[in-house]
C-alpha cells in the first residue's frame, strides 16, 4: 500500500469536491488503486470554508508556506487559480521537492512549459488533468495513448458557460436572460467575463497545443473572440441553415504551420460536436492512425474536476519521464488574417434606403463571393433590420476590412458579426 | 531508456498494423515515452504474411512455443483471436513469466478473470486495451480514472459492422445490400455472423462489465439479439418517430441488481449516441461524480486497434496492482424477462381481414397498453403488410408471450420484431 500525503491550497468549489471525494471514497480508492491519500493540511484565506467542511483547526492554515515547506507533505494541490500567487506556490512547491497537482489552466497555459522543465529535472510530477475538460477526462488519455499517433487537429467546446448560453439562445432566449439563467443554475460565475470573452477557452487551447502538438503558444498571438456579439437572431438564422453556433477552441497542423483560434463557429449537422448542448464540453481530436475521436462530458463542476485531481494523485507513482510536457516542435503560428473559410455575416442595417446595393457593392469591391442573402430574417425592430450574408470561401482579413468599411459608411450599426463555418 | 522485447503471434490485420506502427514510429515512441519496443519474433501459420511485410526469415516462426518460451522476450502479443489456441498461448505466456497483451475480446470475456488472477499473483501484466473500442480509446481510461467514481451504467455502440449496416439501411438500403457494401469497404468480414448476431457486442459487454462493475458475467446468461430481423421498414418508421435504431450493448446497476443486454434499441434525438453513424463506435458511461461522459471513435480497424496495443506496451512499466482486473462485487444478474420498457413492435400481417381487431385484442388480453398504431406504414408488397404498434411501459416477458401467440394465430409472419425504446 502506497501512501500519499497531500496539502490542499484553496477550499473553493474544487477544493470542497476534492475533500468530499477523498473522505467518502477513501476505502474504495485504497482497494481499487492500492493507494492511500492523506490530507495533511489545508490552506485558505480564513477558517470559514474549512469550518463548513468540518476540517479540524489543527489541519488548517492560512499561510501556504506551511504547506509547501512541510516535510511530511509529498504533494501540493493548488486550487486557487490565477497566475500570480499560484505561480509562486508552484515554484516553491518544486523548490521544496514536492509534486505539484493543479486545476489551474491559466497557470499551465502561461507557465506550464517552464514549470515542467524544472519538475522533470528534479524528478517531480507536474500534473494538471483537471485544467482542461476535467470531467471528460481528457489530458491524460492524450498524453498516454492518443499522442502515440500524430495528432493533426483538435476542435473543442471547452467552456460550459458559453455552451449553456448558446444552447438557451438557440431555444429562443436573449443573451442576457440566458446568462442570468446560467448564473442562477451555477453554470456561470458571478463575473463571467473570462468565460464569455473567450479567454477561458484560450487558456485551454494553449494547454491543448502543448499536449497535442508539443507547442507552447504565446496567448497574445492567438485570435480570441467570445460570444458577446452573438444575437438571438444569429441562432435563429443558423437553424434555418441547418447549423448551430458554438464557441470553438481549435488547433490544427498543416506541415510546419499551426493555427490556433477561439471563436464562434457555425457547425453542420454531421459534425460530432453539433449535438453537444447545455453545460457539456466535448473535444474532437483527429490523428494519423486513430482518425477522428470525440470525448464528451462535463468539462467542469465540483465533483468532475475534483475527480480529475484524484486521477493525478493516483498516477503520482508512475514513470515521470513519459508524462512530462514535451515542448520541442517548432511550428509557424499562422495569423488568422490569412485563414480562409466560408463566412456568415450579419449586419444590423440602420438606414434602409438602397442599403442592399450599397452593401453588396462592397463585397464586389473586395472580390468576396456571396453565396446567399437572407434579408430581414427576423425583424424585431424597424430601426435595426438584420441582414445575413453567407460567403464562399474568403480570406479573414479581407472580410474584416469589408466589415469596417461598411460600418464607416454608416449603413450598419457596430454590432455586425462574422462567423466562419467549420467544414 | 527502457527496452521491451516483444513477440507477436498472429500477422492478420492488427498484427500488420502493429508491425507498421512500431516500425514507422519507433523513434517518436522512444522520444515521447522513453521506451524502445523491439520485435524479437513473429509467428503465423506460414511465412506468406510475414514476407509481405518484409519480415526477415530469422525473425519468423510458425511455432508459437518459440515465442512464449523465448527467454529474450518480455511480452507476448496475441493477435489470433478465438478462445482455444489463444487461451493456451495466454496460459503458457504467464507460465513462462511474460506479460501478455491481447486484442482478443472473446478471450478476455471468457477467461479474463482467471488469467488476471494468475498474472497478478506472478506480478505480470495482462493487458487488453485493444479488445473493446481500441480506437476510441476506452478501457484504460475507465481503469485509471473513471472507475474512481461509482459507475452506474454504460451504453455502447460497440460493433462497427452493425452500425454501418443500420446507417445504410436508414438511408434506404435493404439489409443485404447494406451488408455487401459494408463487406466491400472492409467494414464487415467475409463471414459477419458474430457481428450481425450480436455476439461480438456481447463479448465486449462482458469485458465492460468486468471493468465498470467488477463483475465477470456468464455470457450465456445475457440476452443477446442481433440485427438480422431488422427490416428497412423499421428504420423508416423509426425516423417518423424521431428515433434511430442502434445495436446497443448495455450494462446498468440498480442497488444489488445488474442488467446486461445486447439488442437493437430505439434512441431518441437527445441521446448522445443518436448521431453515431457508419463504422463509428461510441460508449456512454454514467458515474456518480462525473455524470454522463461519452467516448467516440473508430472501434476497430488495423491502425486504431494496433495503436491500442502499443498503448498497452508503453504501460508495461507501471504499477501492476492498480491495473489488475478486480472481480469482487457480487451482483444479482437480472433476467431480461423482468425488464420493463416502452416497445416498438412490427408485425408483417399475412391475412388482412380484420387483423387489427384480432391483434389488438391480444394486447388487451395481456394488459399491454398501446400508445400508437401505425398501419401500413410503407406497403411494399400486398401479401406482407407491415403494422407497427408502440406500447407504453410493458414487461419484456409479457410482450414476448404476446408475440408468440400472435404468430401462432397465423395472423402474422414469423419475422415480427420487438425493439425497446432507450429512455
Amino acid at each position: 500500500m502506497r501512501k500519499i500525503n497531500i496539502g490542499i491550497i484553496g477550499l473553493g468549489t474544487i477544493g470542497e469536491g476534492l475533500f468530499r471525494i477523498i473522505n467518502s471514497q477513501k476505502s474504495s480508492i485504497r482497494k481499487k488503486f492500492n493507494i492511500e491519500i492523506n490530507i495533511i493540511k489545508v490552506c485558505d484565506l480564513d477558517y470559514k470554508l474549512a469550518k463548513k467542511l468540518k476540517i479540524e483547526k489543527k489541519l488548517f492554515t492560512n499561510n501556504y508556506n506551511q504547506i509547501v515547506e512541510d516535510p511530511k507533505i509529498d504533494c501540493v494541490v493548488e486550487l486557487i487559480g490565477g497566475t500570480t500567487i499560484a505561480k509562486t506556490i508552484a515554484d516553491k512547491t518544486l523548490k521544496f521537492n514536492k509534486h505539484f497537482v493543479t486545476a489551474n489552466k491559466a497557470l499551465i497555459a502561461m507557465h506550464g512549459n517552464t514549470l515542467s522543465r524544472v519538475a522533470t529535472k528534479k524528478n517531480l510530477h507536474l500534473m494538471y488533468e483537471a485544467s482542461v475538460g476535467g470531467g471528460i477526462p481528457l489530458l491524460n488519455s492524450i498524453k498516454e495513448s492518443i499522442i502515440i499517433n500524430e495528432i493533426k487537429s483538435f476542435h473543442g467546446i471547452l467552456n460550459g458557460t458559453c455552451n449553456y448560453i448558446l444552447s438557451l439562445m438557440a431555444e429562443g432566449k436573449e443573451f442576457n436572460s440566458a446568462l442570468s439563467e446560467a448564473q442562477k443554475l451555477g453554470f456561470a460565475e458571478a463575473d463571467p467575463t473570462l468565460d464569455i470573452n473567450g479567454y477561458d477557452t484560450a487558456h485551454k487551447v494553449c494547454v491543448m497545443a502543448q499536449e497535442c502538438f508539443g507547442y507552447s503558444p504565446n496567448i497574445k498571438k492567438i485570435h480570441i473572440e467570445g460570444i458577446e456579439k452573438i444575437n438571438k437572431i444569429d441562432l435563429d438564422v443558423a437553424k434555418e441553415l441547418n447549423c448551430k453556433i458554438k464557441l470553438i477552441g481549435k488547433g490544427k497542423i498543416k506541415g510546419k504551420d499551426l493555427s490556433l483560434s477561439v471563436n464562434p463557429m457555425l457547425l453542420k449537422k454531421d459534425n460530432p460536436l453539433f449535438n453537444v448542448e447545455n453545460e457539456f464540453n466535448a473535444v474532437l481530436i483527429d490523428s494519423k492512425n486513430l482518425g477522428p475521436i470525440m470525448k464528451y462530458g462535463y468539462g467542469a463542476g465540483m465533483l468532475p474536476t475534483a475527480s480529475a485531481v484524484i486521477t493525478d494523485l493516483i498516477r503520482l507513482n508512475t514513470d515521470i519521464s513519459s508524462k512530462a510536457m514535451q515542448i520541442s516542435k517548432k511550428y509557424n503560428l499562422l495569423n488568422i488574417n490569412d485563414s480562409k473559410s466560408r463566412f456568415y455575416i450579419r449586419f444590423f442595417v440602420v438606414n434602409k434606403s438602397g442599403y442592399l446595393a450599397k452593401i453588396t457593392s462592397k463585397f464586389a469591391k473586395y472580390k468576396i463571393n456571396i453565396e446567399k442573402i437572407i434579408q430581414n430574417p427576423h425583424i424585431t425592430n424597424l430601426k435595426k433590420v438584420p441582414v445575413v450574408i453567407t460567403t464562399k470561401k474568403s480570406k479573414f482579413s479581407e472580410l474584416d476590412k469589408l466589415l469596417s468599411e461598411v460600418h464607416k459608411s454608416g449603413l450598419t450599426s457596430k454590432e455586425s458579426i462574422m462567423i466562419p463555418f467549420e467544414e
Side-chain angles (χ1 to χ4, degrees), chain A:
Chain A
M1 177 74 64
R2 287 172 306 117
K3 280 186 188 177
I4 290 169
N5 294 329
I6 66 167
I8 302 172
I9 303 179
L11 279 178
T13 311
I14 310 170
E16 178 179 339
L18 182 62
F19 192 81
R20 280 207 207 164
I21 300 185
I22 291 179
N23 278 336
S24 67
Q25 278 163 238
K26 201 161 190 166
S27 78
S28 104
I29 290 172
R30 208 190 279 134
K31 211 170 122 197
K32 284 177 189 158
F33 298 97
N34 203 27
I35 193 171
E36 191 175 293
I37 301 172
N38 298 312
I39 300 173
I40 302 298
K41 201 159 267 177
V42 301
C43 171
D44 206 286
L45 291 176
D46 60 49
Y47 185 58
K48 211 175 65 193
L49 291 167
K51 194 176 172 190
K52 183 184 132 197
L53 295 172
K54 293 175 188 159
I55 295 171
E56 293 172 71
K57 264 220 155 131
K58 64 175 183 184
L59 286 188
F60 178 81
T61 172
N62 59 11
N63 175 0
Y64 65 76
N65 286 311
Q66 289 193 11
I67 287 186
V68 296
E69 293 174 13
D70 186 334
K72 289 191 299 300
I73 290 176
D74 311 312
C75 174
V76 173
V77 182
E78 177 272 307
L79 302 171
I80 59 170
T83 53
T84 51
I85 305 172
K87 174 66 166 48
T88 312
I89 292 173
D91 288 336
K92 283 198 175 173
T93 298
L94 298 176
K95 187 180 152 208
F96 283 94
N97 297 305
K98 297 181 193 332
H99 304 298
F100 184 72
V101 171
T102 182
N104 187 332
K105 58 215 156 250
L107 180 70
I108 298 301
M110 311 288 267
H111 305 291
N113 188 10
T114 337
L115 290 171
S116 178
R117 257 185 278 143
V118 177
T120 309
K121 207 176 279 173
K122 301 188 90 172
N123 210 29
L124 293 167
H125 278 288
L126 168 75
M127 295 182 112
Y128 44 88
E129 172 78 347
S131 65
V132 183
I136 293 190
L138 178 63
L139 294 182
N140 280 327
S141 73
I142 295 175
K143 225 184 256 290
E144 294 175 17
S145 35
I146 304 168
I147 198 71
I148 294 171
N149 312 290
E150 262 167 53
I151 296 178
K152 295 189 277 186
S153 68
F154 66 83
H155 289 77
I157 294 175
L158 296 166
N159 184 282
T161 306
C162 289
N163 206 43
Y164 195 81
I165 291 172
L166 292 174
S167 296
L168 288 189
M169 286 174 79
E171 287 167 11
K173 287 226 161 55
E174 299 282 351
F175 184 92
N176 285 330
S177 77
L179 171 59
S180 33
E181 187 169 332
Q183 284 170 321
K184 213 159 55 191
L185 290 168
F187 299 139
E189 316 240 5
D191 176 5
T193 314
L194 283 177
D195 296 309
I196 302 296
N197 70 12
Y199 272 76
D200 175 84
T201 301
H203 285 138
K204 292 168 178 165
V205 164
C206 291
V207 178
M208 285 291 281
Q210 291 168 350
E211 295 306 317
C212 296
F213 309 129
Y215 182 90
S216 190
N218 179 340
I219 197 168
K220 288 179 190 152
K221 297 209 167 150
I222 299 177
H223 174 76
I224 305 169
E225 217 183 299
I227 62 166
E228 309 97 320
K229 283 166 77 183
I230 307 266
N231 190 291
K232 198 183 91 55
I233 287 168
D234 302 317
L235 281 304
D236 293 340
V237 178
K239 206 179 276 170
E240 282 169 29
L241 298 168
N242 283 313
C243 289
K244 280 183 188 167
I245 298 175
K246 299 283 180 190
L247 184 69
I248 301 292
K250 180 175 163 180
K252 197 171 181 178
I253 271 177
K254 207 174 172 185
K256 285 278 154 205
D257 292 333
L258 168 63
S259 55
L260 297 171
S261 58
V262 175
N263 51 281
M265 298 192 92
L266 278 137
L267 308 188
K268 287 190 199 154
K269 267 197 172 145
D270 58 357
N271 191 309
L273 299 175
F274 184 85
N275 269 358
V276 178
E277 297 289 7
N278 300 323
E279 73 274 29
F280 280 97
N281 285 16
V283 182
L284 187 67
I285 298 175
D286 193 23
S287 72
K288 201 177 151 196
N289 298 320
L290 297 180
I293 62 177
M294 184 172 83
K295 289 162 174 278
Y296 164 101
Y298 291 126
M302 177 191 282
L303 297 174
T305 311
S307 171
V309 170
I310 292 180
T311 308
D312 281 345
L313 295 175
I314 288 169
R315 277 166 209 245
L316 281 180
N317 76 317
T318 54
D319 182 26
I320 285 171
S321 56
S322 65
K323 304 291 180 299
M325 200 186 278
Q326 299 181 330
I327 305 300
S328 57
K329 289 197 190 162
K330 299 268 177 283
Y331 286 104
N332 169 33
L333 188 60
L334 296 179
N335 190 303
I336 191 134
N337 279 322
D338 300 321
S339 71
K340 280 184 177 176
S341 298
R342 288 174 59 230
F343 278 92
Y344 163 104
I345 298 154
R346 187 258 306 139
F347 300 104
F348 280 126
V349 177
V350 283
N351 175 353
K352 276 178 61 188
S353 85
Y355 65 87
L356 200 59
K358 287 176 193 162
I359 290 176
T360 52
S361 73
K362 307 284 182 192
F363 280 75
K365 178 181 165 191
Y366 281 96
K367 295 194 179 92
I368 287 164
N369 290 316
I370 290 174
E371 205 178 65
K372 203 181 266 181
I373 298 179
I374 306 169
Q375 281 194 74
N376 313 344
H378 299 267
I379 300 182
T380 44
N381 167 341
L382 282 175
K383 285 187 183 160
K384 198 167 124 177
V385 178
V387 176
V388 171
I389 296 179
T390 65
T391 72
K392 295 197 174 161
K393 220 168 184 182
S394 315
K395 211 171 159 188
F396 186 97
S397 57
E398 293 300 295
L399 262 176
D400 201 36
K401 277 186 233 163
L402 179 146
L403 252 72
S404 334
E405 199 170 314
V406 172
H407 295 157
K408 276 186 204 145
S409 71
L411 283 165
T412 63
S413 81
K414 280 185 185 165
E415 302 150 289
S416 305
I417 191 167
M418 54 190 264
I419 309 176
F421 285 85
E422 170 58 35
E423 315 284 351

